[in-house]
Amino acid sequence: MKKLPLFSVAIIFAIFITSCNNSTNNQTSTTEKMETKAGVTKAAWGTTDGKEVFLFTLTNAKGVQVKISNYGATITSWVSPDKNNKPSSIVLGFDSLSGYLAKPPYFGAVVGRYGNRIAKGKFKIDKTEYTLATNNGPNALHGGLKGFDKQVWDATPASDSTASVELSYLSKDGEEGYPGNLKVTVRYTLTDDNELKIEYSASTDKATVLNVTNHSYFNLTGDVNNSILDHTLMIDADNYTPVDTTLIPTGEIKSVKGTPFDFTKAKKIGQEIGAVSGGYDHNFVLNKKDSSLSKIVELKDSISGRTLEVFTTQPGVQFYTGNFLDGTIFTSAGKKINQHAAMCLETQHFPDSPNEPKFPTTLLLPGQQFHSETVYKLSVK
Ligand code: BGC
């Protein structure tokens, strides 16, 4: 077949994506022209809590598109071509706000104030004990009953041609039991190298704990009918944090050597998953020694030819194989989302750090400026 020049492929691909969006989301298509900026478009996406919800579309020079909603600072889709130039989304998400209001398990959202678990929903700062809602068995999970994932954030799209949007949220003193007014900002940028850069910053007026991450579920094939157990994964971690039956770390930092947790050399996710009770849902202690932005993960899928590399400044990553997905949630196209239909790579501090003095601290003090960065880089061969 005669090869098309690259820019024609990009244009055809962008037209294809636009027509896909029009067919799946009428609300978006009628409002898409409301406000357009180079690199970012903004569309009305409904209301909740009396606040307006928007859907931002970040488009890069290659025609790749990432959609972000200010409801939960959520990534709703990341559409890119596979090795046959067929576009599909590599993350789980819905075409309309109603999908998210039905409380899916954190699809694409920013979770916080404390992502992951805090044992028994209790922690102390100095001598003061704080109590959180226990929304996951005996423990607190992902910021509580109405965490960052269920809040409407303020949003500012880039005013130049950058494919970028900045979202911010003020979590009030006492919200979900956490101390301090916490101002948190998340900026998403899609680069022309198909990197989705996520920068978090935060400050507080009282000592508090903080662990923010993005909870995207990836399936590089772009089709939930394919399990992620055939993806090949490398995690640059010689150690992980073993957990008790309620998924709280025991406090031990354990070597992965000779265990199913050894992903230091790439292997199929399904290769040893049978030996891990319930599937992978564990925090890996990254080998990187400082808080510089370093590559920590490489995920590959041979069906689509896609590779996802993950870079982060954070000390850990929660590798979760969608164990609790049970076929009760459907995609907007009506496909059943079964167990292992997608997986998460949540860059983070370790679970239950506020109760584990040996883990890197998650304490944020007044006067300190929190900053972290994670980059997901997609390529295709
Ligand atoms: C947790 C899982 C949980 C999932 C959805 C992950 O971060 O580790 O245990 O089921 O989030 O809530």
Side-chain angles (χ1 to χ4, degrees), residues 14-35:
I15 292 169
F16 182 91
I17 288 173
T18 311
S19 63
C20 283
N21 290 339
N22 287 347
S23 62
T24 52
N25 189 347
N26 290 330
Q27 196 180 5
T28 305
S29 62
T30 50
T31 51
E32 197 108 45
K33 289 181 202 79
M34 203 173 83
E35 189 182 319

Side-chain angles (χ1 to χ4, degrees), residues 1 9 45 110 118 147 149 154 269 302 346:
M1 200 180 85
V9 173
W45 219 43
V110 166
I118 294 184
D149 61 296
D154 293 327
I269 292 172
S302 58
E346 302 154 57

Side-chain angles (χ1 to χ4, degrees), residues 149-195:
D149 61 296
K150 296 177 186 71
Q151 302 291 350
V152 179
W153 296 53
D154 293 327
T156 315
S159 54
D160 55 15
S161 60
T162 318
S164 173
V165 62
E166 185 174 293
L167 301 136
S168 54
Y169 176 65
L170 173 67
S171 171
K172 296 235 173 89
D173 187 16
E175 183 182 276
E176 288 292 339
Y178 295 97
N181 290 296
L182 180 89
K183 189 166 184 269
V184 54
T185 301
V186 177
R187 179 198 291 269
Y188 290 103
T189 306
L190 176 65
T191 73
D192 291 341
D193 290 331
N194 293 336
E195 297 158 324

Side-chain angles (χ1 to χ4, degrees), residues 179-298:
N181 290 296
L182 180 89
K183 189 166 184 269
V184 54
T185 301
V186 177
R187 179 198 291 269
Y188 290 103
T189 306
L190 176 65
T191 73
D192 291 341
D193 290 331
N194 293 336
E195 297 158 324
L196 182 59
K197 200 201 277 192
I198 315 178
E199 294 162 280
Y200 305 85
S201 41
S203 58
T204 182
D205 61 1
K206 252 190 213 170
T208 191
V209 292
L210 178 70
N211 192 25
V212 268
T213 186
N214 179 276
H215 207 296
S216 284
Y217 287 72
F218 297 96
N219 182 323
L220 297 187
T221 73
D223 182 350
V224 292
N225 287 344
N226 302 314
S227 153
I228 51 86
L229 298 185
D230 288 330
H231 286 25
T232 301
L233 177 69
M234 182 287 292
I235 308 180
D236 189 13
D238 291 343
N239 296 284
Y240 75 110
T241 51
V243 287
D244 68 14
T245 53
T246 71
L247 297 175
I248 292 292
T250 58
E252 191 188 353
I253 306 275
K254 197 172 174 191
S255 170
V256 297
K257 215 171 188 149
T259 78
F261 298 94
D262 191 349
F263 284 92
T264 51
K265 289 195 188 65
K267 70 177 180 203
K268 280 209 173 165
I269 292 172
Q271 194 170 310
E272 293 175 273
I273 195 173
V276 182
S277 167
Y280 295 101
D281 195 354
H282 294 80
N283 170 64
F284 285 70
V285 177
L286 300 172
N287 288 338
K288 62 203 283 299
K289 288 285 169 269
D290 55 22
S291 58
S292 59
L293 187 70
S294 316
K295 177 166 166 178
I296 57 140
V297 160
E298 190 164 298

Side-chain angles (χ1 to χ4, degrees), residues 103-166:
K103 302 189 182 161
Y106 309 93
F107 287 6
V110 166
V111 293
R113 186 177 301 201
Y114 200 95
N116 217 309
R117 293 172 174 82
I118 294 184
K120 313 252 182 326
K122 289 198 185 295
F123 66 94
K124 277 188 185 160
I125 297 178
D126 296 328
K127 294 210 160 52
T128 311
E129 185 172 72
Y130 296 95
T131 301
L132 314 170
T134 47
N135 58 341
N136 187 255
N139 305 315
L141 178 70
H142 294 334
L145 301 175
K146 191 166 179 181
F148 292 178
D149 61 296
K150 296 177 186 71
Q151 302 291 350
V152 179
W153 296 53
D154 293 327
T156 315
S159 54
D160 55 15
S161 60
T162 318
S164 173
V165 62
E166 185 174 293

